[in-house]
Amino acid sequence: MNGPAGLAILFATASLLGQHGSPKAAPGGVSAQEKAPQRMTDAQAAELAKEALRAENPTAIRALLVRLKGHTFKSSKVPERELVLYAQGMLEARLGNLSAAAPPLKKLEKQWPKSPFMGEVQTLLAEEAVGQRRFKDAEGRLHRALASDLTSERKRKAQELLLWTLVEQGRPREGMPIVQSLRPLEGNEKPSEKGLAAIVEILGAAGDRAQIEGSRNAFLNLYPKSELLARVDLAYGRTLGRTGDAKGSAEVLRKLIKDHPSSVQADDARLALASLLTDGSLADAKDMPSAESLLAEIRKGGRKLPKGPAQLVELRVLVGKSLWEEALNLVQAMEAGGVPGEPEVKKLWQTAWNAWVAQRLEKGFPGELLARLKPGAFLALEAKGRTGVAELLAFNGLLEALPPLIAEAPAKERPGLRKAALAKVQPEAQPQGVLKLLPPRGDSPDEALARARAEAALEHWPQLRTALGRARPGQERMKALLRLLQRPMGKGETQILRLKEAEGWWARCTEKGEIREPLGILVADLRFQTGDVRGALALYPAKTAAADQRGWVALMRAQALLKLGQREQARLQIREARDEQGFKGQRDALARSLGAY
């Protein structure tokens, strides 16, 4: 029979045994047991376990343990075994042998999971797990212990141990509800060393300055020589810093470093002090070590700096020294190492990023700029920097890199960025880049002109024709228009159709004077080629503005005059153009035939 019922029978049996008294002594004054030791019954083993649980002397406890361990039960399921296993575990724990206490208690846990002793059993097994740094196992056992019917004193012990496991697992904030629900201590009771240290750390994580001071003072009074003292002071010093008392925090941290120079907590204190020195919270840093020297002390011990906090301190130092590229490299390493991007890290990176880009713009050389332009980096620049980057990339033949960058910029800036980039390039040199940069629709006149020039370079005639209609009038548009009208003849196209197209542009174009003149000459050429000599002569200018066109126009005017029977005017025309450049051989031949010179 198992469980409480079995224990009831056990206790009843013990009571009956007590009524019958001790075994009678054998003749001669020596008891039968002393004369010939007999094997205990299971009930006698249970009685011995009860006696052992009342023992306080270590020597007696050890002797009783030997006897309990030596007993063999009739069956592993007899009810008396429950009490004996419990007693073995408790006695080993009293002697400080938690590792020896664990096996019998685990047997009890497996055989009698609903035992009334289970609350205590789980607490002891949790304590053994903590000693072996199996904190997750300990945490689960302590939750089960606290869910059982523990006395208030034993519950407090389990709670303090649970607080320690949470702190050791880096989850101090989860312990605050437990701290708030702790039973007040009475009389001569005092918190355990680990429990009180955990309470200090938990209060520190919660930023409860008022309570952490009281708990820290209690720890100093109760455990003045504790190995956990540096840990307690570290939590206290950090809390002072987080709650606005930078000076007080620095004092505590410096004392910790002085009193415990070789401890792990001393390095943590050096890092916390370096953080205070670099975040601007210490108004007076006189007589303080530098942040760099503190970090160097940590490295001197061979310890690796913790990724997040130490890197943030290093980043502050680099930005403070205007070491922009080094700062950017550090942030890149932090991202590669999975360090979450804190707001301060992002702010420092943005400062370094804008300054580094400004240096690249001053030098006029992109360098690693493209490699650093990860998503979001262009938007993080100031407006002036974005414009400068757009111009720099365009000027250096990297126009095709701009479209995704400009898409990051605020919508109101995008037209200006495109305009700034296009002003730095010849569309004929980077036609594909220009077309990718331009918006799919809604070109401005300047954008339409850039599109026309790019399409002309790529010989995209239909697209060129469309873009010319929206392009800003001027010399560049005229060049693109002439390129369109001088394209190779298409299949089925005739000179008459080309003339009709040219005449249409001649009638619509708004350019004036010298800019318009080349189109007039082209239309005149087409008229001449299609037999409209008089119409051609009407368009050929009497005096051409462009020097490189004068020789050609003089030749064509002379030929037109000849065709119209005006030989003398043709001779005079060719003579006047004798010194002009261009088509000189044809003009000289015509001049000789006319007797011009």
Side-chain angles (χ1 to χ4, degrees):
M1 185 180 297
N2 298 342
L7 288 174
I9 293 175
L10 178 75
F11 295 149
T13 304
S15 176
L16 289 172
L17 286 172
Q19 290 176 8
H20 289 289
S22 349
K24 293 182 179 179
V30 181
S31 69
Q33 278 185 325
E34 290 173 332
K35 188 174 181 180
Q38 297 178 353
R39 176 184 172 278
M40 287 189 295
T41 65
D42 291 347
Q44 288 172 331
E47 279 298 312
L48 185 63
K50 290 169 64 178
E51 178 186 342
L53 288 170
R54 292 192 294 268
E56 295 181 359
N57 182 277
T59 303
I61 290 174
R62 288 189 185 92
L64 290 165
L65 264 173
V66 170
R67 294 183 63 192
L68 288 173
K69 288 179 179 179
H71 178 69
T72 303
F73 289 94
K74 293 179 180 178
S75 166
S76 63
K77 297 181 180 181
V78 296
E80 293 85 355
R81 184 168 177 259
E82 178 182 3
L83 179 61
V84 171
L85 289 174
Y86 170 70
Q88 286 181 28
M90 292 298 293
L91 295 174
E92 292 284 10
R94 288 180 193 174
L95 294 174
N97 302 326
L98 285 176
S99 58
L105 294 179
K106 287 181 179 179
K107 290 177 183 178
L108 170 60
E109 178 186 31
K110 182 178 179 180
Q111 187 70 46
W112 287 278
K114 296 183 180 180
S115 170
F117 307 127
M118 199 48 61
E120 274 189 277
V121 168
Q122 294 290 5
T123 303
L124 280 174
L125 289 175
E127 194 172 351
E128 185 269 338
V130 166
Q132 300 298 318
R133 302 192 65 79
R134 301 194 317 271
F135 297 112
K136 200 66 183 175
D137 177 24
E139 182 183 349
R141 291 187 177 281
L142 289 167
H143 280 298
R144 291 193 289 275
L146 290 170
S148 67
D149 190 20
L150 285 174
T151 64
S152 61
E153 182 181 352
R154 288 171 176 168
K155 183 176 182 180
R156 169 88 189 206
K157 177 183 177 182
Q159 286 176 317
E160 289 185 7
L161 193 56
L162 178 56
L163 293 176
W164 180 255
T165 65
L166 292 174
V167 166
E168 285 291 274
Q169 294 178 84
R171 294 153 51 201
R173 292 184 182 276
E174 294 180 30
M176 196 61 190
I178 302 172
V179 171
Q180 293 170 338
S181 66
L182 285 173
R183 176 185 67 82
L185 297 170
E186 299 176 358
N188 294 326
E189 290 180 329
K190 68 176 184 178
S192 65
E193 182 180 0
K194 288 181 177 178
L196 187 51
I199 290 170
V200 171
E201 291 195 33
I202 290 166
L203 292 172
D208 192 334
R209 178 170 174 176
Q211 290 198 56
I212 194 176
E213 286 185 3
S215 298
R216 182 229 185 192
N217 290 336
F219 191 92
L220 294 177
N221 291 330
L222 292 172
Y223 305 103
K225 296 183 179 180
S226 170
E227 293 182 356
L228 299 177
L229 188 56
R231 188 164 170 170
V232 167
D233 278 345
L234 177 65
Y236 179 58
R238 282 172 167 171
T239 304
L240 292 179
R242 285 195 296 266
T243 55
D245 186 3
K247 183 178 179 181
S249 174
E251 290 175 358
V252 172
L253 295 172
R254 293 188 74 182
K255 186 175 185 303
L256 189 160
I257 296 168
K258 180 182 178 182
D259 294 345
H260 310 277
S262 302
S263 66
V264 172
Q265 287 74 31
D267 281 344
D268 290 335
R270 291 183 181 102
L271 181 56
L273 184 55
S275 183
L276 289 175
L277 289 166
T278 54
D279 68 5
S281 56
L282 271 175
D284 182 11
K286 185 180 179 182
D287 299 327
M288 290 278 185
S290 67
E292 297 97 313
S293 67
L294 289 166
L295 294 178
E297 281 294 319
I298 299 173
R299 293 193 185 95
K300 189 186 295 182
R303 181 187 175 196
K304 289 185 177 180
L305 295 175
K307 285 184 178 179
Q311 287 173 318
L312 176 56
V313 171
E314 285 187 296
L315 183 58
R316 290 172 184 159
V317 171
L318 292 173
V319 171
K321 290 185 171 183
S322 300
L323 297 173
W324 311 124
E325 187 160 353
E326 290 83 350
L328 295 179
N329 291 338
L330 177 57
V331 174
Q332 191 173 343
M334 292 170 73
E335 291 173 349
V339 178
E342 297 180 10
E344 186 182 357
V345 172
K346 291 180 180 178
K347 183 178 179 181
L348 291 168
W349 169 82
Q350 192 166 0
T351 298
W353 171 234
N354 275 275
W356 183 84
V357 169
Q359 289 180 341
R360 300 279 80 70
L361 297 179
E362 285 178 12
K363 294 178 181 178
F365 181 66
E368 298 179 357
L369 182 58
L370 270 182
R372 293 190 184 276
L373 280 169
K374 304 283 176 63
F378 189 71
L379 181 60
L381 291 171
E382 297 171 355
K384 183 180 178 181
R386 286 193 287 268
T387 301
V389 168
E391 291 176 335
L392 182 64
L393 294 180
F395 182 77
N396 284 275
L398 299 170
L399 200 61
E400 293 190 35
L402 278 176
L405 300 179
I406 292 179
E408 290 184 9
K412 64 181 181 180
E413 281 187 30
R414 294 171 193 167
L417 290 170
R418 284 194 293 266
K419 183 176 180 180
L422 291 172
K424 294 292 180 179
V425 301
Q426 293 296 323
E428 295 80 6
Q430 300 184 59
Q432 294 286 8
V434 168
L435 294 177
K436 288 180 180 179
L437 181 63
L438 292 170
R441 60 179 66 87
D443 289 347
S444 69
D446 284 330
E447 290 171 342
L449 177 59
R451 186 185 298 279
R453 294 172 66 183
E455 299 288 15
L458 295 170
E459 299 184 353
H460 294 165
W461 310 123
Q463 295 90 333
L464 169 57
R465 187 179 292 110
T466 301
L468 282 170
R470 303 189 303 272
R472 177 176 54 79
Q475 190 169 1
E476 294 300 334
R477 187 178 89 126
M478 185 56 63
K479 288 180 182 178
L481 176 55
L482 293 174
R483 185 78 176 86
L484 173 68
L485 295 175
Q486 291 172 336
R487 70 188 183 275
M489 287 288 184
K491 186 177 181 181
E493 190 176 9
T494 64
Q495 289 283 7
I496 296 295
L497 289 175
R498 182 64 59 86
L499 173 60
K500 185 177 180 180
E501 181 182 359
E503 293 278 12
W505 283 108
W506 175 251
R508 295 193 305 273
C509 78
T510 58
E511 287 84 352
K512 304 293 182 184
E514 295 180 12
I515 297 175
R516 181 183 172 89
E517 186 180 83
L519 178 59
I521 295 171
L522 178 59
V523 174
D525 288 343
L526 290 171
R527 286 180 180 181
F528 190 93
Q529 292 167 15
T530 55
D532 184 6
V533 177
R534 193 173 299 279
L537 186 59
L539 278 182
Y540 283 127
K543 187 173 183 180
T544 309
D548 61 340
Q549 290 278 16
R550 289 171 190 166
W552 170 257
V553 171
L555 175 63
M556 294 307 296
R557 280 182 63 83
Q559 288 183 345
L561 288 167
L562 274 176
K563 284 185 177 289
L564 292 173
Q566 300 177 32
R567 186 179 179 84
E568 183 59 26
Q569 288 87 339
R571 189 173 64 82
L572 291 172
Q573 177 74 55
I574 209 71
R575 179 188 293 173
E576 290 175 0
R578 182 173 185 174
D579 296 328
E580 299 294 345
Q581 300 299 314
F583 302 94
K584 191 167 179 58
Q586 293 94 320
R587 285 188 288 111
D588 287 347
L590 182 58
R592 286 192 295 270
S593 68
L594 293 173
Y597 49 85

